[in-house]
Amino acid sequence: MISYANSLGIAKRPQDTRVVVAMSGGVDSSVTAAVLREEGYDVVGITLQLYDHGIALQKPGACCAGQDIYDARQVADRIGIPHYVLDYEGKFSQDVIDDFADTYLRGETPIPCVRCNQRVKFRDLLNTARDLGADALATGHYVRRVQGAAGAELHRAIDPGRDQSYFLFATTREQLEFLRFPLGGLTKPETRALAERHGLEVAAKPDSQDICFVPNGSYADVVAKLRPGSVEPGDIVHVDGRVLGRHRGVVHYTVGQRKGLGIGGIRGEEEPLFVVRLEPGQRRVVVGPRRELARRVVTIREVNWLGPALAPGEGLEVEVKLRSAQPSAPAVWRLGADGTAQAELHEPQYGVAPGQACVVYQGDRVLGGGWIAGTGA
């Protein structure tokens, strides 16, 4: 009997391997579908309708909007694959948009793209792909899936400027076995060149910007609309207790913020002021000099662990990424016994915000991560 090992690491011939591709209408997912189709796979394109088209169409470049659904359908027709649009609006509203609003109201800074991957694309869509008899679900994310000795591993993309591994830390081991990321070894210019070679009209389409369901870029306006009456003014307070001014609502601020505090120059303050913490229960924004932001200990909740087995409290030397745009920092990682963990940083980090993700790396490999619940000096 002949044993096949195709480019996706599946023991079948490409023509016998069904792959569902999550098509957002952008260049990355379009090239993913085109490349797999060219290799002979049985490709099925699926686009998710995640929110109201009337809102979406007001924001060019937002994923999963009306124009993007049209673009995905055009690409599918061009490369000759079936294409389906699934209405996930209810799931997206409950699992992503509501969570976004509630996280802001707790004084935290959310990352809805992670929740979308975690609760919609890599859970609900993955189950739909299985229902369609697929052998794999492929996406256009810039991240690598590497087959290790103990199973599939998640690694950074080859192009550090495009790496999206920070946003995929919540991918479970079971999901990773089913997922494929064909673009993880490419740069963005190489992807666009492939789009042009395949004659895809989206070859020069701009990348999605900001959060897809925020039409005008104002997060606070979205929270105020979703939770009427919840965005209330309050005091801006110095860490020493002085009241320096008033704010329009805690949701307008995030830990580490310097600009846009609305208090102007404060007499006697030689150092610039930053948001040190948010106290939504008291409707207070607490500010202070940069040194007040220094944190050495980070507490993490909802941990997804993809790394080696660790006993509770056992230390592991790692690097942690505390914001998507910041470089990794050396730390000692310790798992708790209840889905929590703690990262002890070798050097203090500044602007560590609850609600953001703490993602754990060893070299290029993603070991997991979780949501920042609190910090300590």
Side-chain angles (χ1 to χ4, degrees):
M1 181 176 179
I2 299 175
S3 177
Y4 298 97
N6 61 38
S7 64
L8 297 180
I10 298 171
K12 289 184 177 182
R13 298 180 303 174
Q15 60 265 41
D16 298 327
T17 306
R18 173 165 290 182
V19 183
V20 166
V21 177
M23 299 182 68
S24 68
V27 63
D28 298 327
S29 60
S30 297
V31 167
T32 297
V35 167
L36 292 174
R37 180 70 181 91
E38 183 181 47
E39 291 182 19
Y41 289 98
D42 175 12
V43 178
V44 177
I46 291 183
T47 302
L48 304 182
Q49 179 184 325
L50 298 180
Y51 53 93
D52 180 73
H53 286 185
I55 296 175
L57 289 172
Q58 297 174 23
K59 185 178 183 185
C63 75
C64 310
Q67 180 63 46
D68 298 296
I69 292 173
Y70 172 81
D71 289 343
R73 182 176 290 118
Q74 292 294 102
V75 169
D77 289 344
R78 170 77 181 182
I79 64 178
I81 64 170
H83 176 256
Y84 303 97
V85 178
L86 303 183
D87 183 358
Y88 275 34
E89 193 169 331
K91 298 175 185 290
F92 187 75
S93 176
Q94 177 179 338
D95 292 339
V96 179
I97 298 180
D98 286 348
D99 178 82
F100 169 84
D102 293 339
T103 301
Y104 259 122
L105 292 179
R106 290 196 301 268
E108 300 180 351
T109 306
I111 315 176
C113 294
V114 174
R115 286 300 194 197
C116 183
N117 290 326
Q118 179 185 28
R119 296 179 173 178
V120 179
K121 293 178 181 175
F122 292 174
R123 186 188 66 186
D124 298 325
L125 178 56
L126 189 146
N127 289 333
T128 298
R130 285 199 171 105
D131 291 341
L132 291 172
D135 298 285
L137 171 65
T139 77
H141 288 103
Y142 286 86
V143 67
R144 289 182 296 143
R145 177 189 180 278
V146 176
Q147 195 65 33
E153 299 174 355
L154 191 65
H155 286 240
R156 299 180 199 254
I158 291 295
D159 183 353
R162 297 298 306 179
D163 175 56
Q164 293 174 299
S165 60
Y166 179 86
F167 300 99
L168 300 179
F169 78 85
T171 307
T172 67
R173 291 180 186 272
E174 180 184 9
Q175 292 167 347
L176 197 55
E177 291 294 336
F178 194 71
L179 288 163
R180 298 295 188 274
F181 309 104
L183 303 188
L186 300 179
T187 65
K188 187 70 177 202
E190 288 172 335
T191 298
R192 291 200 182 277
L194 283 171
E196 292 177 357
R197 182 169 70 78
H198 284 280
L200 306 183
E201 293 185 3
V202 297
K205 186 175 181 178
D207 291 334
S208 298
Q209 300 294 325
D210 298 322
I211 298 174
C212 63
F213 58 86
V214 183
N216 57 8
S218 175
Y219 307 156
D221 289 348
V222 172
V223 176
K225 181 178 180 181
L226 293 170
R227 302 290 184 268
S230 62
V231 182
E232 299 178 345
D235 290 332
I236 299 177
V237 183
H238 195 279
V239 288
D240 63 13
R242 288 176 293 153
V243 176
L244 302 181
R246 297 281 287 175
H247 64 76
R248 295 179 294 124
V250 171
V251 298
H252 291 276
Y253 301 86
T254 185
V255 171
Q257 179 178 335
R258 176 183 174 186
K259 297 181 179 180
L261 300 184
I263 53 178
I266 303 298
R267 185 183 297 275
E269 294 293 335
E270 298 180 357
E271 298 178 88
L273 297 177
F274 298 79
V275 175
V276 173
R277 66 179 180 273
L278 301 173
E279 299 178 350
Q282 293 74 40
R283 302 199 300 275
R284 288 193 300 197
V285 175
V286 181
V287 300
R290 185 174 183 269
R291 62 179 176 273
E292 295 289 340
L293 288 170
R295 296 292 183 267
R296 291 290 293 267
V297 178
V298 182
T299 304
I300 301 102
R301 66 174 188 266
E302 297 181 50
V303 172
N304 177 56
W305 188 242
L306 301 171
L310 292 176
E314 179 184 353
L316 181 67
E317 286 287 341
V318 299
E319 291 186 331
V320 296
K321 200 174 178 69
L322 302 170
R323 281 187 186 261
S324 63
Q326 290 180 349
S328 302
V332 176
W333 175 265
R334 289 185 171 87
L335 288 173
D338 54 356
T340 63
Q342 189 176 79
E344 298 174 8
L345 299 156
H346 291 335
E347 298 293 336
Q349 299 295 305
Y350 297 83
V352 183
Q356 292 284 290
C358 174
V359 182
V360 188
Y361 296 85
Q362 274 189 337
D364 284 338
R365 184 183 175 187
V366 181
L367 298 185
W371 301 100
I372 298 173
T375 59

